[in-house]
Amino acid sequence: MQQDGLSGAEKRIYMEIDKLTQQVLDKIDDTGFTQEGAYNLRYNGYALCHGDTEHIKIKKREDGNQGINVYISGEAKGETVHIPVVIAASGMTDLVYNDFYVEEGAEVTIIAGCGIHNSGCDDSRHDGIHTFHVGKNASVLYAEKHYGEGEGEGGRILNPETRIFLEENAVFTLDTAQIKGVDSTVRKTYVEAMEGAKLFVTERLMTHDAQTAVSDMDVVLNGTGSSAQIVSRSVAQGSSVQTFHPKAVGNAGCHAHIQCDSIIMEHAKVSSIPEINANHIDAAIIHEAAIGRINSDQVVKLRSMGLSEEEAESVIIEAFLN
């Protein structure tokens, strides 16, 4: 952030914002956010800084909505885009629309995520609607982490919506994780896949205390040879409530596999409602769902190695989610 021309007091404020922002960024961006390459950092409802590369351009939307359009050239090979969001204001609601246009043959990694630091009494909320238009033979890895922190009583609310449209033979890997501290989330994912397109989804989610989480996912396989592999793993602690509803629709000769596994602890509640629909004789769709408590034999084994019961459970949970 530019600090030229600021008073001493203003510089101290910016330094504190920088420190807090970096603290949250470290949680939601495993690779380390830097102001290099293609990036856009959204802070408290506006674009704080951004950069382009030869093959990746980021433009402000011109349709009246908050957000950006990201244009990824087919010549992009192995490049990375960072688009984190940080909210550090109590009582703020941020609604943003980000569209990604990935040209034929591109290979790109997009690292997103949102972190909320709320030290106030009012709810802070971010709703991010991300739409991906993925060209033929393109490959996209989209990683998104959500995280909440702060000593305030106000809620930390995150409602991501992801829309993915895959052209012929495109490959899309969606890796989403909710780490901790998010009081309420409604996650919506919609995917359409054409001929030969492949979708890989890994969803990891943890809730505790009285938190709630809903994940609705609709995958529509329209093309011959298209496929989807969806794996959802969650841990529900305290009195939290989780609901999962993944749905796969086969409209052609295709293959899909849905797997939902959850660990339930204390007084939590988990509902897993996988749904499959075959509208073609060659559509092969499988679903699996399992909910259960931590394996007591694993706890006993780890305790025999000197760990406390709490430490043993933490090790098991970390291994399960990763």
Side-chain angles (χ1 to χ4, degrees), residues 220-283:
V220 182
L221 303 174
N222 289 324
T224 301
S226 58
S227 62
Q229 179 177 306
I230 301 166
V231 178
S232 175
R233 290 196 167 190
S234 74
V235 175
Q237 299 176 318
S239 59
S240 63
V241 178
Q242 299 180 1
T243 303
F244 298 91
H245 185 193
K247 176 181 178 182
V249 179
N251 292 327
C254 60
H255 182 271
H257 183 247
I258 301 173
Q259 180 179 337
C260 298
D261 296 323
S262 299
I263 290 178
I264 186 169
M265 304 175 66
E266 300 160 350
H267 304 291
K269 297 179 181 179
V270 179
S271 297
S272 186
I273 316 165
E275 179 180 348
I276 58 177
N277 294 280
N279 299 321
H280 191 282
I281 193 172
D282 292 321

Side-chain angles (χ1 to χ4, degrees), residues 87-112:
I87 293 179
S90 184
M92 180 177 190
T93 297
D94 186 31
L95 172 62
V96 62
Y97 295 82
N98 295 335
D99 281 33
F100 301 82
Y101 300 90
V102 185
E103 289 187 355
E104 180 177 353
E107 298 175 2
V108 66
T109 296
I110 301 169
I111 299 178

Side-chain angles (χ1 to χ4, degrees), residues 40-42 45-47 50 58-71 83 85 94-101 126-130:
N40 187 87
L41 171 58
R42 185 175 179 85
Y46 66 93
H50 91 274
I58 301 175
K59 306 294 184 183
K60 182 179 179 180
R61 298 183 69 99
E62 297 181 352
D63 60 359
N65 290 320
Q66 289 288 315
I68 55 176
N69 291 330
V70 182
Y71 300 92
I83 55 163
V85 175
D94 186 31
L95 172 62
V96 62
Y97 295 82
N98 295 335
D99 281 33
F100 301 82
Y101 300 90
H126 175 74
D127 294 353
I129 294 89
H130 292 178

